[in-house]
Amino acid sequence: MVSVGTIVWLSSELMFFAGLFAMYFTIRGVEPELWDERTAMLNIPFATANTLILVISSVWCQLGVHAAEHGKGHRGNARLWQVPAWGMREWYVVTYIFGAVFIAGQVLEYATLVSEGVSLSSDPYGSVFYLTTGFHGLHVTGGLLAFLLIIGRTFTTRTYTHNQAAGAVVTSYYWHFVDVVWIALFATIYLLR
């Protein structure tokens, strides 16, 4: 039931982001010269590396789901460097770290753009850029909080059951969703000229 509810909720989130994409393309169609000028200011190699970090975090997340579905909440008595023995907790910690690095990268990019005169209120491009990427960043932050909750649960149970795994699975649905949305945003904002 939780999985179905999560999928329905993510469908509504998809409509929210569709509205942001519509806003982006509408304003872009009205101000093409501004778009040419502002997109030239974007650091595409940096954004590509940041995107890669988020995509890799989805791989770690899926490895955590695999461990959770097999009842392995944590590595047990194995050493930390014994990666094949990792449980869901270890994979989700690595996912969390990569997600936090992605958010830090966005903050760094924002600071650079603001120093170059592109802010939320500078022009239509700045408004749309910060609204679309900012709302995505808020969604990633929400996912990071969910990871902390799921990781915390592994400390409160001795055996990792199907009920605990369900939380890990729906968290992964959300994380993969924000990952796919970012890939679409990245392609639209950074690559589509």
Side-chain angles (χ1 to χ4, degrees), residues 68-80:
E69 288 175 336
H70 288 85
K72 192 163 188 177
H74 53 85
R75 71 182 190 282
N77 295 328
R79 303 281 185 195
L80 185 59

Side-chain angles (χ1 to χ4, degrees), residues 115-149:
S115 72
E116 294 173 352
V118 181
S119 69
L120 184 63
S121 60
S122 63
D123 51 44
Y125 179 84
S127 297
V128 172
F129 176 82
Y130 287 109
L131 283 174
T132 55
T133 60
F135 273 116
H136 178 267
L138 287 175
H139 281 77
V140 171
T141 303
L144 294 176
L145 293 173
F147 280 120
L148 289 178
L149 177 68

Side-chain angles (χ1 to χ4, degrees), residues 2 48-49 53 133 138-139 176 191:
V2 174
T48 302
I53 287 168
T133 60
L138 287 175
H139 281 77
H176 297 318
L191 302 180

